[in-house]
Amino acid sequence: IYFGFHFIKDYRKTEIEKWRLEATLKEAELRALKSQMNPHFIFNCLNSIRALIVEDPERAQTVVTQLASMLRYSLVSQHTETVALEEELQVVSDYLALEKIRLEDRLKVNMNIDPHTLGIHVPPMLIQTLVENGIKYGVATLPEGGAISLSSKMFAAKIQIRIENTGRLSDPGDSTGLGLRNALERLE
């Protein structure tokens, strides 16, 4: 009876821990989905496209293609654990091109990507989310704009990806920290 009691008690404890881990995983997945494509970005992009249709129809077509590519990547990436850095950087490039329409000369972009890192796999939408945060909280808030810098390097068998912006987070209350928490959880 003693061993049976402890077996059932341990089994219940294990089941509860399993449910807790499953709930944490579902919560992390939900946060990842919420942060993958900012609705404000999509609305801003659509408004920019609307203006471009009259001003520069050919460029408007290019922008629609870039937006469609980003949306397709966002949907497909929900079903994969990792993608090659090269694929992620293509989406980042499309995103930056779309933001450049809205911010014009206020957005400067510097990329220094080590070609040896392009085949390394990273979580999808990870870099795009961090670049989006850098623009939202670091560049777009400044009247004069700013710069986003993105670099990658190999150190022994590890990759270092660095995303920097020239802005400052003036009020930490402006940020929920969701994007950074999500990135950390996905990397873990």
Side-chain angles (χ1 to χ4, degrees):
I1 293 175
Y2 173 80
F3 290 115
F5 172 77
H6 283 287
F7 175 78
I8 291 171
K9 183 179 171 186
D10 290 343
Y11 178 77
R12 285 184 180 162
K13 189 185 283 185
T14 303
E15 281 295 307
I16 290 170
E17 186 62 28
K18 177 182 159 191
W19 293 336
R20 189 175 291 132
L21 288 172
E22 286 178 8
T24 302
L25 177 64
K26 292 297 178 193
E27 185 179 321
E29 287 174 352
L30 181 60
R31 273 189 269 168
L33 291 176
K34 284 181 180 177
S35 70
Q36 281 194 348
M37 195 61 73
N38 184 338
H40 295 293
F41 163 73
I42 294 172
F43 291 130
N44 289 337
C45 191
L46 290 173
N47 283 329
S48 296
I49 291 169
R50 187 171 152 259
L52 277 176
I53 288 172
V54 175
E55 295 171 16
D56 189 348
E58 286 184 34
R59 188 167 179 213
Q61 287 180 344
T62 301
V63 171
V64 168
T65 302
Q66 289 170 322
L67 178 60
S69 174
M70 282 189 66
L71 293 172
R72 185 177 310 107
Y73 179 82
S74 178
L75 290 173
V76 170
S77 70
Q78 293 176 14
H79 305 292
T80 184
E81 295 280 323
T82 62
V83 295
L85 179 62
E86 186 171 21
E87 287 179 62
E88 181 76 0
L89 290 177
Q90 180 57 54
V91 170
V92 169
S93 294
D94 287 343
Y95 171 78
L96 289 169
L98 295 171
E99 283 290 29
K100 198 117 171 80
I101 293 168
R102 181 173 68 97
L103 297 171
E104 297 175 337
D105 293 336
R106 293 178 49 224
L107 175 61
K108 308 284 188 267
V109 177
N110 304 310
M111 285 193 158
N112 186 13
I113 305 300
D114 180 349
H116 296 99
T117 64
L118 293 175
I120 303 293
H121 281 249
V122 297
M125 300 297 285
L126 177 73
I127 297 169
Q128 189 276 337
T129 299
L130 295 174
V131 168
E132 184 174 347
N133 273 359
I135 290 175
K136 182 177 180 181
Y137 297 110
V139 175
T141 60
L142 301 173
E144 71 278 7
I148 287 285
S149 298
L150 175 61
S151 64
S152 69
K153 294 179 188 176
M154 289 298 295
F155 291 104
K158 296 182 181 182
I159 185 172
Q160 178 190 52
I161 300 171
R162 192 175 184 101
I163 301 160
E164 299 175 281
N165 69 69
T166 54
R168 295 259 185 249
L169 190 59
S170 59
D171 180 10
D174 290 345
S175 171
T176 63
L178 181 64
L180 295 177
R181 266 196 319 273
N182 178 26
L184 181 62
E185 286 177 11
R186 293 174 69 205
L187 286 171
E188 287 174 359

